[in-house]
Every structure is written in structure tokens, then in C-alpha cells.
Amino acid sequence: MKKTTLAILLILSGIASAQTSSLKAGLWDMKQIKQVLDGQDMSAKMAAVQEKMQESMAKMTPEQRKKMEGMMNMGAGGTIRVCISPAMAARNAPIVDREGHCAPAKVTRSGNTSTFEFNCTNNGRTSVGSGKSTVNGDTVSTSVDMTVTDAKGHHSIQSESQMTFLGADCQGIKPADQMMKEMHGTTQQK
């Protein structure tokens, strides 16, 4: 479940799209600010799920709660902790699909802001859209607007997220690119 949740967040939130020349390797705290799927604001639903999870965790023993938080890579206030590997930081280009197979068609940088466009097809799924990432010190704000087409139909997604750098030590959290490779390998084996 943890890997699936991370994959969904990486795809829908644009966190992986926040890659600019200022992205540092290490631990980042990711906060979803806005999530609209097919015109429906998912923020309330996501907040309700998060609240139920927090309620369940409040009933756990401190040891159980710590273990659950570690499994889900949760930070304060329900944020998600993500480890960016040195290879991801050095990439200096947005990643627009979870396997990293799709390079953006166009990337423009101006000061601390990167804008990008993409039109990708991978494993029968097409993603077309654009995004913008802005770096302010140790904070990266990203917005993405895309249309995803797969066997289930067309879906429009608008999202905004914010990442805050916590430090070079990932505190035992696997780098996101490694998790995606492991998840992709598991999917391939099935």
C-alpha cells in the first residue's frame, strides 16, 4: 500500500515534476495543496481519508504509531516524506511518469522557475499537459495540469504541491527512484 500511495502521489501531485537545478538530494516533505480530478476537488476526500487515518493512529500504542508512520513515510500534519537520490537531483529535468521513461517535450527555465510541457505514451497510458515549478530557498512549489488517457478513459488532473527540504539524511526512507524501480519490477513479475 505504501508504494502504491507514493506512486499515486508522484504521478498526480507533480512532486517528481519539481526537478530543477536547485533540487537537493535528501529528505523532502511533500504537501498536497490542491487536487482536482475530472473537475471534482479531491481535497476534501483526501482530508477525510487523512483524518480517519490520524484517528486510527491515535488509538495505536506509541510503538505501533511510530511503525505505521515509518511505513507510510508520513511527516507532521500528514505530509509525505520523499527521499530524492543524488541521481534524481542531478537529472535536472522534470520526471512526468512514475518510471521516468517520459522526458518532457519542452523545459524552460527563468530564474528560480521552470515550466515544462509533456506528451507521453507509456504502457498504453498517455499523459499530455504542462506544469510549473518554483524554487524559493529550500521550498519547491509545483503546479501541473494534465489529461491522462488509458483503457479506463480520459481524466483531467490539476494539482498543486509543495516540497520542503529537510536535510541530506533520508532517515532510512528509500529514494523515490529506487522505490519506483522496485514497484515496476514487482508489476512486471505479475
Side-chain angles (χ1 to χ4, degrees):
M1 181 168 151
K2 174 178 73 169
K3 290 180 183 178
T4 303
T5 301
L6 179 61
I8 291 168
L9 286 171
L10 286 171
I11 295 165
L12 299 181
S13 73
I15 182 174
S17 301
Q19 307 239 318
T20 69
S21 59
S22 299
L23 190 66
K24 300 174 187 177
L27 189 60
W28 289 80
D29 213 18
M30 196 279 291
K31 175 182 174 182
Q32 188 70 38
I33 297 170
K34 176 183 172 184
Q35 183 75 43
V36 177
L37 176 62
D38 294 332
Q40 183 178 3
D41 186 351
M42 302 302 287
S43 301
K45 287 184 179 183
M46 291 171 64
V49 168
Q50 187 177 33
E51 185 176 324
K52 283 186 178 186
M53 189 179 344
Q54 293 293 339
E55 288 173 6
S56 295
M57 289 174 63
K59 297 174 186 174
M60 295 177 181
T61 66
E63 295 80 22
Q64 290 171 323
R65 187 171 37 256
K66 185 175 181 176
K67 184 177 179 180
M68 181 64 79
E69 287 171 348
M71 286 175 45
M72 299 183 73
N73 297 342
M74 290 178 64
T79 60
I80 302 296
R81 298 241 165 124
V82 178
C83 178
I84 301 296
S85 71
M88 289 175 73
R91 184 181 172 124
N92 196 23
I95 300 172
V96 295
D97 70 327
R98 69 178 177 218
E99 288 92 19
H101 296 292
C102 179
K106 180 179 178 183
V107 178
T108 306
R109 291 185 177 85
S110 177
N112 64 341
T113 300
S114 296
T115 57
F116 52 93
E117 298 174 6
F118 53 92
N119 184 344
C120 308
T121 301
N122 187 24
N123 295 327
R125 178 186 194 134
T126 301
S127 301
V128 178
S130 61
K132 178 171 81 169
S133 293
T134 303
V135 178
N136 288 313
D138 284 345
T139 302
V140 179
S141 299
T142 302
S143 61
V144 176
D145 187 358
M146 73 174 129
T147 301
V148 176
T149 305
D150 58 18
K152 297 178 182 177
H154 302 283
H155 301 285
S156 66
I157 302 167
Q158 295 82 39
S159 67
E160 294 177 19
S161 63
Q162 187 174 63
M163 293 173 52
T164 304
F165 184 68
L166 300 177
D169 180 5
C170 284
Q171 302 174 9
I173 296 174
K174 287 183 183 179
D177 53 352
Q178 181 182 345
M179 289 179 69
M180 292 302 105
K181 284 180 186 176
E182 289 174 5
M183 190 175 110
H184 185 65
T186 302
T187 305
Q188 292 286 334
Q189 292 173 2
K190 291 182 179 182

